[in-house]
Amino acid sequence: MTEVPLLPGVRSAFAQTDRLRTHYLESGPADGAPVVLLHGNLSTARFFEHLMPDLPQYRVLAPDMRCFGESEPAPLDATRGLADWADDLFALLTFLGIEEPPHLVGWSTAGAAIARYAMDRPVASLTFLDPVSPYGYGGTLPDGAPCFADFAGSGAGTVNPEVVRRIAEGDASGESPFSIRNVMNAFYFAPTHREPREREDMLVAEILKTVTGEANYPGDVRTSGNWPGSAPGTSGILNALSPKYCNWSGIVDLNPKPPVLWTHGSADLVIADTSPLEMGTLGASGTVPGWPGMEAFPPQPMVAQIRAVLQQYAEGGGSVRMEMFAGSGHGPHMDAREKWLEVFTDFLATT
């Protein structure tokens, strides 16, 4: 695939921080208020590149997070949840001499990372973009409690190994439903949305930079006597997302509370109350046999869990703005770009 140059005004650089060598994109003036865009699982900074020229008054940063893109392929400690990502970001901002509290945007997985950052350090605002549930991904009851004590049904053991194999082999084709090109088009965007072919090729190439293996994506696996037979290990991104380690409901106790914007696609298949990627839904549909039933392992109500925690945040005195994007998928900043930018820039202007 032909390399696609960066958009005008977007710069690429590397920073050797005290944690790892981080690749990042940057735009805007050096003295602008810092806005940081953090990508999610199986993506990179370039999934935000198309927004950066339209934020000219801000110093916009979009790093490649640990495990992804062109940043150093360092292992990820899943037992810290997404704290490795939060600490990596702080190290980058420190390296760049940015002391002003940043506006943070966290897409999907990175929603947990920006929440962790805010629980440890001051921020100007938090924008949750189709974030992972406050109780992690998979294997929880509606109140966030685990379905099983060992958190079976979450973590690296729940990923389709064919997807992992094709990423590791650099499969850029569309020959299989498990080729990352088809996975991206099926799950990242609305069914009606398709990126221009050149940009689609570029995004596929970016995903294929994912570092695969037990230390990164998806992580290591523990066997379990509970359905579906696996429990989270201690390394890698999918284990970091397990409710065993990922829990950002503690933001309700922040004092002071930064303003929050939550944007979400109504047709999101990744973060949903019945996500077809989550074990409760797969068990209920019969796709994964042996399901223990609705009482023991229901589909995780992810959107309801996000809403409940943010309502608690608001009831505790926090400012929360919620915007659902009708018909959008997991990435409304892509399939509803203009509308998403309008909401986001209005939010920034009023914080």
Side-chain angles (χ1 to χ4, degrees), residues 199-259:
R199 179 168 164 79
E200 178 181 300
D201 287 347
M202 180 271 288
L203 295 176
V204 168
E206 288 294 300
I207 298 174
L208 291 176
K209 294 176 182 178
T210 298
V211 183
T212 56
E214 291 192 345
N216 298 102
Y217 178 84
D220 61 330
V221 180
R222 298 288 186 267
T223 58
S224 172
N226 296 313
W227 183 84
S230 68
T234 60
S235 62
I237 191 69
L238 292 192
N239 291 323
L241 286 167
S242 163
K244 184 173 184 178
Y245 310 119
C246 178
N247 187 319
W248 56 269
S249 64
I251 67 164
V252 300
D253 297 320
L254 286 178
N255 185 22
K257 289 178 166 60

Tab-separated table of all heavy atoms in Angstrom, residues 199-259:
chain	number	residue	atom	x	y	z
A	199	ARG	N	-7.492	6.397	2.213
A	199	ARG	CA	-7.459	6.539	3.673
A	199	ARG	C	-7.758	5.199	4.353
A	199	ARG	O	-7.164	4.872	5.376
A	199	ARG	CB	-8.458	7.609	4.115
A	199	ARG	CG	-8.490	7.792	5.627
A	199	ARG	CD	-9.249	9.034	6.036
A	199	ARG	NE	-9.584	8.990	7.451
A	199	ARG	CZ	-8.731	9.265	8.442
A	199	ARG	NH1	-7.488	9.606	8.153
A	199	ARG	NH2	-9.121	9.199	9.692
A	200	GLU	N	-8.675	4.431	3.798
A	200	GLU	CA	-8.944	3.107	4.361
A	200	GLU	C	-7.684	2.257	4.368
A	200	GLU	O	-7.365	1.593	5.363
A	200	GLU	CB	-10.045	2.402	3.566
A	200	GLU	CG	-10.357	0.995	4.071
A	200	GLU	CD	-11.422	0.313	3.245
A	200	GLU	OE1	-12.550	0.841	3.181
A	200	GLU	OE2	-11.129	-0.756	2.654
A	201	ASP	N	-6.953	2.276	3.262
A	201	ASP	CA	-5.701	1.522	3.185
A	201	ASP	C	-4.721	1.983	4.267
A	201	ASP	O	-4.033	1.162	4.891
A	201	ASP	CB	-5.052	1.690	1.818
A	201	ASP	CG	-5.778	0.931	0.714
A	201	ASP	OD1	-6.640	0.089	1.036
A	201	ASP	OD2	-5.481	1.195	-0.466
A	202	MET	N	-4.642	3.291	4.459
A	202	MET	CA	-3.730	3.837	5.463
A	202	MET	C	-4.119	3.376	6.865
A	202	MET	O	-3.272	2.976	7.669
A	202	MET	CB	-3.719	5.362	5.371
A	202	MET	CG	-2.802	6.043	6.385
A	202	MET	SD	-3.637	6.416	7.972
A	202	MET	CE	-4.702	7.761	7.473
A	203	LEU	N	-5.417	3.407	7.172
A	203	LEU	CA	-5.874	3.010	8.508
A	203	LEU	C	-5.638	1.516	8.746
A	203	LEU	O	-5.263	1.106	9.859
A	203	LEU	CB	-7.347	3.360	8.684
A	203	LEU	CG	-7.674	4.855	8.673
A	203	LEU	CD1	-9.189	5.065	8.769
A	203	LEU	CD2	-6.966	5.593	9.808
A	204	VAL	N	-5.842	0.716	7.719
A	204	VAL	CA	-5.548	-0.719	7.836
A	204	VAL	C	-4.066	-0.918	8.130
A	204	VAL	O	-3.680	-1.699	9.016
A	204	VAL	CB	-5.960	-1.466	6.558
A	204	VAL	CG1	-5.398	-2.890	6.549
A	204	VAL	CG2	-7.475	-1.495	6.422
A	205	ALA	N	-3.216	-0.201	7.397
A	205	ALA	CA	-1.775	-0.305	7.623
A	205	ALA	C	-1.408	0.125	9.039
A	205	ALA	O	-0.499	-0.461	9.667
A	205	ALA	CB	-1.021	0.543	6.601
A	206	GLU	N	-2.102	1.120	9.565
A	206	GLU	CA	-1.841	1.561	10.935
A	206	GLU	C	-2.208	0.473	11.947
A	206	GLU	O	-1.452	0.200	12.885
A	206	GLU	CB	-2.628	2.846	11.228
A	206	GLU	CG	-2.091	4.073	10.534
A	206	GLU	CD	-0.718	4.475	11.033
A	206	GLU	OE1	-0.584	4.768	12.249
A	206	GLU	OE2	0.220	4.475	10.228
A	207	ILE	N	-3.352	-0.156	11.769
A	207	ILE	CA	-3.747	-1.226	12.693
A	207	ILE	C	-2.747	-2.370	12.642
A	207	ILE	O	-2.435	-2.994	13.677
A	207	ILE	CB	-5.162	-1.738	12.363
A	207	ILE	CG1	-6.196	-0.619	12.520
A	207	ILE	CG2	-5.532	-2.900	13.284
A	207	ILE	CD1	-7.593	-1.012	12.069
A	208	LEU	N	-2.207	-2.643	11.465
A	208	LEU	CA	-1.276	-3.755	11.316
A	208	LEU	C	0.077	-3.488	11.970
A	208	LEU	O	0.934	-4.381	12.030
A	208	LEU	CB	-1.092	-4.094	9.839
A	208	LEU	CG	-2.330	-4.706	9.163
A	208	LEU	CD1	-2.088	-4.911	7.673
A	208	LEU	CD2	-2.730	-6.020	9.834
A	209	LYS	N	0.266	-2.294	12.516
A	209	LYS	CA	1.459	-2.004	13.321
A	209	LYS	C	1.304	-2.512	14.760
A	209	LYS	O	2.255	-2.426	15.551
A	209	LYS	CB	1.737	-0.500	13.335
A	209	LYS	CG	2.118	0.071	11.975
A	209	LYS	CD	2.282	1.581	12.042
A	209	LYS	CE	2.627	2.154	10.660
A	209	LYS	NZ	2.754	3.642	10.687
A	210	THR	N	0.126	-3.029	15.098
A	210	THR	CA	-0.126	-3.552	16.439
A	210	THR	C	0.914	-4.601	16.813
A	210	THR	O	1.229	-5.497	16.027
A	210	THR	CB	-1.530	-4.183	16.505
A	210	THR	OG1	-2.504	-3.171	16.236
A	210	THR	CG2	-1.803	-4.801	17.872
A	211	VAL	N	1.430	-4.490	18.038
A	211	VAL	CA	2.395	-5.464	18.549
A	211	VAL	C	1.612	-6.633	19.131
A	211	VAL	O	0.869	-6.473	20.106
A	211	VAL	CB	3.305	-4.848	19.625
A	211	VAL	CG1	4.346	-5.871	20.089
A	211	VAL	CG2	3.977	-3.593	19.106
A	212	THR	N	1.731	-7.799	18.526
A	212	THR	CA	0.978	-8.959	18.988
A	212	THR	C	1.825	-9.803	19.946
A	212	THR	O	3.053	-9.751	19.946
A	212	THR	CB	0.518	-9.836	17.812
A	212	THR	OG1	1.657	-10.220	17.039
A	212	THR	CG2	-0.458	-9.079	16.932
A	213	GLY	N	1.122	-10.584	20.767
A	213	GLY	CA	1.805	-11.463	21.711
A	213	GLY	C	1.256	-11.335	23.114
A	213	GLY	O	0.351	-10.532	23.389
A	214	GLU	N	1.795	-12.112	24.014
A	214	GLU	CA	1.294	-12.159	25.386
A	214	GLU	C	1.544	-10.869	26.155
A	214	GLU	O	0.818	-10.561	27.106
A	214	GLU	CB	1.917	-13.334	26.136
A	214	GLU	CG	1.444	-14.694	25.658
A	214	GLU	CD	1.853	-15.813	26.586
A	214	GLU	OE1	2.745	-15.589	27.443
A	214	GLU	OE2	1.284	-16.916	26.473
A	215	ALA	N	2.561	-10.104	25.769
A	215	ALA	CA	2.876	-8.872	26.496
A	215	ALA	C	2.104	-7.671	25.977
A	215	ALA	O	2.089	-6.629	26.632
A	215	ALA	CB	4.376	-8.587	26.429
A	216	ASN	N	1.467	-7.811	24.812
A	216	ASN	CA	0.824	-6.663	24.191
A	216	ASN	C	-0.609	-6.981	23.757
A	216	ASN	O	-1.523	-6.896	24.554
A	216	ASN	CB	1.683	-6.168	23.032
A	216	ASN	CG	3.058	-5.709	23.491
A	216	ASN	OD1	4.044	-6.421	23.334
A	216	ASN	ND2	3.135	-4.529	24.067
A	217	TYR	N	-0.814	-7.357	22.507
A	217	TYR	CA	-2.153	-7.693	22.034
A	217	TYR	C	-2.201	-9.141	21.600
A	217	TYR	O	-1.399	-9.560	20.769
A	217	TYR	CB	-2.568	-6.798	20.849
A	217	TYR	CG	-3.936	-7.161	20.309
A	217	TYR	CD1	-5.087	-6.660	20.898
A	217	TYR	CD2	-4.067	-8.049	19.252
A	217	TYR	CE1	-6.346	-7.028	20.428
A	217	TYR	CE2	-5.321	-8.418	18.781
A	217	TYR	CZ	-6.452	-7.902	19.375
A	217	TYR	OH	-7.689	-8.276	18.930
A	218	PRO	N	-3.075	-9.952	22.158
A	218	PRO	CA	-4.118	-9.572	23.122
A	218	PRO	C	-3.690	-9.660	24.580
A	218	PRO	O	-4.314	-9.071	25.447
A	218	PRO	CB	-5.205	-10.608	22.841
A	218	PRO	CG	-4.440	-11.837	22.436
A	218	PRO	CD	-3.253	-11.339	21.666
A	219	GLY	N	-2.602	-10.414	24.863
A	219	GLY	CA	-2.180	-10.659	26.238
A	219	GLY	C	-2.161	-12.142	26.538
A	219	GLY	O	-2.455	-12.980	25.682
A	220	ASP	N	-1.793	-12.483	27.784
A	220	ASP	CA	-1.736	-13.889	28.170
A	220	ASP	C	-3.094	-14.349	28.691
A	220	ASP	O	-3.951	-13.541	29.050
A	220	ASP	CB	-0.644	-14.135	29.210
A	220	ASP	CG	-0.857	-13.362	30.501
A	220	ASP	OD1	-1.451	-12.258	30.463
A	220	ASP	OD2	-0.445	-13.849	31.568
A	221	VAL	N	-3.283	-15.662	28.724
A	221	VAL	CA	-4.579	-16.250	29.072
A	221	VAL	C	-4.419	-17.217	30.240
A	221	VAL	O	-3.435	-17.959	30.305
A	221	VAL	CB	-5.187	-16.996	27.863
A	221	VAL	CG1	-6.536	-17.605	28.217
A	221	VAL	CG2	-5.332	-16.052	26.673
A	222	ARG	N	-5.377	-17.200	31.148
A	222	ARG	CA	-5.453	-18.161	32.242
A	222	ARG	C	-6.657	-19.064	31.998
A	222	ARG	O	-7.732	-18.587	31.618
A	222	ARG	CB	-5.604	-17.454	33.589
A	222	ARG	CG	-4.442	-16.536	33.967
A	222	ARG	CD	-3.204	-17.336	34.348
A	222	ARG	NE	-2.148	-16.464	34.840
A	222	ARG	CZ	-1.181	-15.932	34.099
A	222	ARG	NH1	-1.176	-16.177	32.794
A	222	ARG	NH2	-0.255	-15.169	34.633
A	223	THR	N	-6.487	-20.360	32.229
A	223	THR	CA	-7.634	-21.260	32.121
A	223	THR	C	-8.521	-21.098	33.354
A	223	THR	O	-8.072	-20.672	34.417
A	223	THR	CB	-7.175	-22.715	32.014
A	223	THR	OG1	-6.383	-23.057	33.161
A	223	THR	CG2	-6.364	-22.934	30.745
A	224	SER	N	-9.788	-21.425	33.192
A	224	SER	CA	-10.758	-21.262	34.271
A	224	SER	C	-11.744	-22.416	34.258
A	224	SER	O	-12.098	-22.929	33.183
A	224	SER	CB	-11.511	-19.931	34.113
A	224	SER	OG	-12.574	-19.839	35.038
A	225	GLY	N	-12.198	-22.800	35.443
A	225	GLY	CA	-13.263	-23.787	35.541
A	225	GLY	C	-14.624	-23.198	35.304
A	225	GLY	O	-15.623	-23.921	35.241
A	226	ASN	N	-14.675	-21.882	35.180
A	226	ASN	CA	-15.933	-21.187	34.908
A	226	ASN	C	-16.079	-20.946	33.410
A	226	ASN	O	-15.090	-20.840	32.675
A	226	ASN	CB	-15.978	-19.854	35.654
A	226	ASN	CG	-15.971	-20.030	37.159
A	226	ASN	OD1	-16.721	-20.838	37.704
A	226	ASN	ND2	-15.109	-19.286	37.842
A	227	TRP	N	-17.346	-20.845	32.980
A	227	TRP	CA	-17.616	-20.553	31.574
A	227	TRP	C	-17.026	-19.199	31.205
A	227	TRP	O	-17.081	-18.264	32.033
A	227	TRP	CB	-19.141	-20.529	31.359
A	227	TRP	CG	-19.547	-20.318	29.946
A	227	TRP	CD1	-19.668	-21.246	28.972
A	227	TRP	CD2	-19.892	-19.063	29.331
A	227	TRP	NE1	-20.058	-20.666	27.794
A	227	TRP	CE2	-20.199	-19.317	27.993
A	227	TRP	CE3	-19.948	-17.740	29.780
A	227	TRP	CZ2	-20.577	-18.327	27.098
A	227	TRP	CZ3	-20.305	-16.736	28.908
A	227	TRP	CH2	-20.628	-17.032	27.574
A	228	PRO	N	-16.434	-19.033	30.051
A	228	PRO	CA	-16.301	-19.980	28.933
A	228	PRO	C	-14.991	-20.750	28.938
A	228	PRO	O	-14.590	-21.282	27.906
A	228	PRO	CB	-16.389	-19.066	27.730
A	228	PRO	CG	-15.706	-17.816	28.198
A	228	PRO	CD	-16.067	-17.662	29.648
A	229	GLY	N	-14.311	-20.804	30.090
A	229	GLY	CA	-13.096	-21.598	30.204
A	229	GLY	C	-11.813	-20.813	30.285
A	229	GLY	O	-10.736	-21.388	30.412
A	230	SER	N	-11.882	-19.483	30.211
A	230	SER	CA	-10.678	-18.655	30.308
A	230	SER	C	-10.931	-17.468	31.223
A	230	SER	O	-12.062	-16.995	31.363
A	230	SER	CB	-10.240	-18.155	28.926
A	230	SER	OG	-11.170	-17.228	28.401
A	231	ALA	N	-9.850	-17.016	31.841
A	231	ALA	CA	-9.883	-15.844	32.720
A	231	ALA	C	-8.703	-14.953	32.360
A	231	ALA	O	-7.758	-15.397	31.698
A	231	ALA	CB	-9.805	-16.279	34.181
A	232	PRO	N	-8.738	-13.693	32.754
A	232	PRO	CA	-7.663	-12.778	32.362
A	232	PRO	C	-6.318	-13.144	32.965
A	232	PRO	O	-6.228	-13.589	34.107
A	232	PRO	CB	-8.147	-11.413	32.867
A	232	PRO	CG	-9.138	-11.727	33.938
A	232	PRO	CD	-9.793	-12.991	33.513
A	233	GLY	N	-5.264	-12.918	32.155
A	233	GLY	CA	-3.905	-13.043	32.639
A	233	GLY	C	-3.440	-11.734	33.257
A	233	GLY	O	-4.251	-10.941	33.750
A	234	THR	N	-2.144	-11.478	33.182
A	234	THR	CA	-1.586	-10.306	33.863
A	234	THR	C	-0.878	-9.331	32.931
A	234	THR	O	-0.330	-8.331	33.407
A	234	THR	CB	-0.595	-10.747	34.953
A	234	THR	OG1	0.471	-11.499	34.340
A	234	THR	CG2	-1.281	-11.605	36.010
A	235	SER	N	-0.878	-9.607	31.629
A	235	SER	CA	-0.205	-8.704	30.698
A	235	SER	C	-1.045	-8.524	29.441
A	235	SER	O	-1.887	-9.358	29.118
A	235	SER	CB	1.181	-9.249	30.335
A	235	SER	OG	1.075	-10.504	29.678
A	236	GLY	N	-0.796	-7.426	28.745
A	236	GLY	CA	-1.470	-7.183	27.481
A	236	GLY	C	-2.737	-6.363	27.603
A	236	GLY	O	-3.363	-6.288	28.657
A	237	ILE	N	-3.127	-5.774	26.476
A	237	ILE	CA	-4.189	-4.777	26.464
A	237	ILE	C	-5.566	-5.341	26.789
A	237	ILE	O	-6.355	-4.700	27.494
A	237	ILE	CB	-4.202	-4.021	25.109
A	237	ILE	CG1	-5.122	-2.801	25.150
A	237	ILE	CG2	-4.573	-4.952	23.957
A	237	ILE	CD1	-4.614	-1.699	26.035
A	238	LEU	N	-5.903	-6.537	26.297
A	238	LEU	CA	-7.243	-7.053	26.566
A	238	LEU	C	-7.406	-7.468	28.024
A	238	LEU	O	-8.508	-7.381	28.578
A	238	LEU	CB	-7.577	-8.210	25.628
A	238	LEU	CG	-7.735	-7.850	24.157
A	238	LEU	CD1	-8.355	-9.015	23.386
A	238	LEU	CD2	-8.577	-6.597	23.963
A	239	ASN	N	-6.316	-7.890	28.658
A	239	ASN	CA	-6.404	-8.166	30.091
A	239	ASN	C	-6.519	-6.866	30.891
A	239	ASN	O	-7.217	-6.812	31.906
A	239	ASN	CB	-5.195	-8.973	30.547
A	239	ASN	CG	-5.205	-10.383	29.992
A	239	ASN	OD1	-6.256	-11.003	29.878
A	239	ASN	ND2	-4.040	-10.885	29.619
A	240	ALA	N	-5.833	-5.823	30.425
A	240	ALA	CA	-5.953	-4.518	31.086
A	240	ALA	C	-7.382	-4.007	31.058
A	240	ALA	O	-7.804	-3.251	31.939
A	240	ALA	CB	-5.019	-3.508	30.429
A	241	LEU	N	-8.152	-4.433	30.048
A	241	LEU	CA	-9.549	-4.020	29.923
A	241	LEU	C	-10.507	-4.899	30.720
A	241	LEU	O	-11.692	-4.588	30.834
A	241	LEU	CB	-9.966	-4.033	28.451
A	241	LEU	CG	-9.410	-2.893	27.597
A	241	LEU	CD1	-9.623	-3.176	26.118
A	241	LEU	CD2	-10.038	-1.571	27.994
A	242	SER	N	-10.009	-6.012	31.258
A	242	SER	CA	-10.863	-6.868	32.071
A	242	SER	C	-11.326	-6.123	33.325
A	242	SER	O	-10.573	-5.334	33.899
A	242	SER	CB	-10.086	-8.121	32.498
A	242	SER	OG	-10.728	-8.771	33.583
A	243	PRO	N	-12.566	-6.368	33.766
A	243	PRO	CA	-13.023	-5.743	35.013
A	243	PRO	C	-12.193	-6.136	36.229
A	243	PRO	O	-12.295	-5.491	37.275
A	243	PRO	CB	-14.472	-6.226	35.142
A	243	PRO	CG	-14.579	-7.411	34.258
A	243	PRO	CD	-13.620	-7.184	33.134
A	244	LYS	N	-11.358	-7.164	36.090
A	244	LYS	CA	-10.454	-7.518	37.187
A	244	LYS	C	-9.511	-6.373	37.495
A	244	LYS	O	-9.117	-6.171	38.654
A	244	LYS	CB	-9.668	-8.779	36.830
A	244	LYS	CG	-8.759	-9.286	37.950
A	244	LYS	CD	-8.130	-10.618	37.604
A	244	LYS	CE	-7.311	-11.161	38.783
A	244	LYS	NZ	-6.735	-12.492	38.475
A	245	TYR	N	-9.129	-5.612	36.456
A	245	TYR	CA	-8.149	-4.544	36.615
A	245	TYR	C	-8.665	-3.170	36.186
A	245	TYR	O	-8.126	-2.157	36.619
A	245	TYR	CB	-6.900	-4.861	35.788
A	245	TYR	CG	-6.347	-6.244	35.993
A	245	TYR	CD1	-6.259	-7.162	34.936
A	245	TYR	CD2	-5.900	-6.657	37.247
A	245	TYR	CE1	-5.739	-8.432	35.117
A	245	TYR	CE2	-5.383	-7.937	37.439
A	245	TYR	CZ	-5.310	-8.815	36.370
A	245	TYR	OH	-4.804	-10.084	36.552
A	246	CYS	N	-9.665	-3.136	35.301
A	246	CYS	CA	-10.148	-1.870	34.744
A	246	CYS	C	-11.417	-1.432	35.459
A	246	CYS	O	-12.452	-2.107	35.376
A	246	CYS	CB	-10.422	-2.033	33.249
A	246	CYS	SG	-11.075	-0.552	32.441
A	247	ASN	N	-11.332	-0.337	36.153
A	247	ASN	CA	-12.511	0.218	36.827
A	247	ASN	C	-12.297	1.719	36.987
A	247	ASN	O	-11.448	2.141	37.775
A	247	ASN	CB	-12.721	-0.439	38.195
A	247	ASN	CG	-14.037	-0.016	38.838
A	247	ASN	OD1	-14.432	1.150	38.788
A	247	ASN	ND2	-14.719	-0.967	39.452
A	248	TRP	N	-13.053	2.510	36.230
A	248	TRP	CA	-12.898	3.963	36.337
A	248	TRP	C	-14.104	4.640	36.977
A	248	TRP	O	-14.261	5.860	36.906
A	248	TRP	CB	-12.560	4.592	34.990
A	248	TRP	CG	-13.455	4.383	33.814
A	248	TRP	CD1	-13.376	3.395	32.887
A	248	TRP	CD2	-14.547	5.235	33.393
A	248	TRP	NE1	-14.351	3.555	31.913
A	248	TRP	CE2	-15.073	4.680	32.201
A	248	TRP	CE3	-15.115	6.403	33.910
A	248	TRP	CZ2	-16.153	5.256	31.522
A	248	TRP	CZ3	-16.185	6.973	33.233
A	248	TRP	CH2	-16.688	6.398	32.057
A	249	SER	N	-14.917	3.844	37.676
A	249	SER	CA	-16.072	4.428	38.368
A	249	SER	C	-15.649	5.378	39.486
A	249	SER	O	-16.460	6.183	39.955
A	249	SER	CB	-16.973	3.327	38.931
A	249	SER	OG	-16.294	2.564	39.914
A	250	GLY	N	-14.376	5.314	39.885
A	250	GLY	CA	-13.889	6.194	40.942
A	250	GLY	C	-13.858	7.663	40.583
A	250	GLY	O	-13.627	8.506	41.464
A	251	ILE	N	-14.125	8.003	39.310
A	251	ILE	CA	-14.144	9.431	38.968
A	251	ILE	C	-15.248	10.176	39.709
A	251	ILE	O	-15.185	11.400	39.846
A	251	ILE	CB	-14.266	9.676	37.454
A	251	ILE	CG1	-15.617	9.234	36.914
A	251	ILE	CG2	-13.120	9.050	36.693
A	251	ILE	CD1	-15.938	9.793	35.549
A	252	VAL	N	-16.257	9.451	40.196
A	252	VAL	CA	-17.344	10.136	40.912
A	252	VAL	C	-16.832	10.821	42.171
A	252	VAL	O	-17.482	11.739	42.699
A	252	VAL	CB	-18.495	9.163	41.256
A	252	VAL	CG1	-19.091	8.557	39.994
A	252	VAL	CG2	-18.034	8.070	42.209
A	253	ASP	N	-15.659	10.405	42.671
A	253	ASP	CA	-15.104	10.976	43.895
A	253	ASP	C	-14.102	12.087	43.634
A	253	ASP	O	-13.515	12.628	44.583
A	253	ASP	CB	-14.430	9.867	44.723
A	253	ASP	CG	-15.412	8.803	45.176
A	253	ASP	OD1	-16.542	9.170	45.564
A	253	ASP	OD2	-15.050	7.605	45.144
A	254	LEU	N	-13.880	12.449	42.361
A	254	LEU	CA	-12.931	13.517	42.060
A	254	LEU	C	-13.368	14.831	42.698
A	254	LEU	O	-14.549	15.177	42.725
A	254	LEU	CB	-12.811	13.720	40.549
A	254	LEU	CG	-12.028	12.663	39.765
A	254	LEU	CD1	-12.051	12.998	38.281
A	254	LEU	CD2	-10.603	12.550	40.268
A	255	ASN	N	-12.414	15.569	43.204
A	255	ASN	CA	-12.682	16.883	43.784
A	255	ASN	C	-11.429	17.739	43.617
A	255	ASN	O	-10.401	17.451	44.218
A	255	ASN	CB	-13.036	16.762	45.263
A	255	ASN	CG	-13.446	18.097	45.867
A	255	ASN	OD1	-13.850	19.009	45.157
A	255	ASN	ND2	-13.321	18.217	47.172
A	256	PRO	N	-11.504	18.761	42.754
A	256	PRO	CA	-12.671	19.192	41.977
A	256	PRO	C	-12.950	18.255	40.800
A	256	PRO	O	-12.098	17.448	40.425
A	256	PRO	CB	-12.263	20.584	41.486
A	256	PRO	CG	-10.763	20.493	41.385
A	256	PRO	CD	-10.328	19.621	42.534
A	257	LYS	N	-14.135	18.401	40.242
A	257	LYS	CA	-14.567	17.567	39.123
A	257	LYS	C	-14.426	18.341	37.812
A	257	LYS	O	-15.105	19.350	37.610
A	257	LYS	CB	-16.030	17.132	39.315
A	257	LYS	CG	-16.244	16.108	40.432
A	257	LYS	CD	-17.718	15.777	40.581
A	257	LYS	CE	-17.918	14.541	41.431
A	257	LYS	NZ	-17.376	14.678	42.786
A	258	PRO	N	-13.568	17.881	36.904
A	258	PRO	CA	-13.464	18.567	35.607
A	258	PRO	C	-14.728	18.366	34.782
A	258	PRO	O	-15.438	17.362	34.956
A	258	PRO	CB	-12.264	17.873	34.949
A	258	PRO	CG	-12.221	16.518	35.577
A	258	PRO	CD	-12.673	16.711	37.002
A	259	PRO	N	-15.046	19.303	33.890
A	259	PRO	CA	-16.204	19.117	33.001
A	259	PRO	C	-16.040	17.863	32.146
A	259	PRO	O	-14.935	17.541	31.707
A	259	PRO	CB	-16.190	20.388	32.136
A	259	PRO	CG	-15.362	21.367	32.884
A	259	PRO	CD	-14.359	20.577	33.653
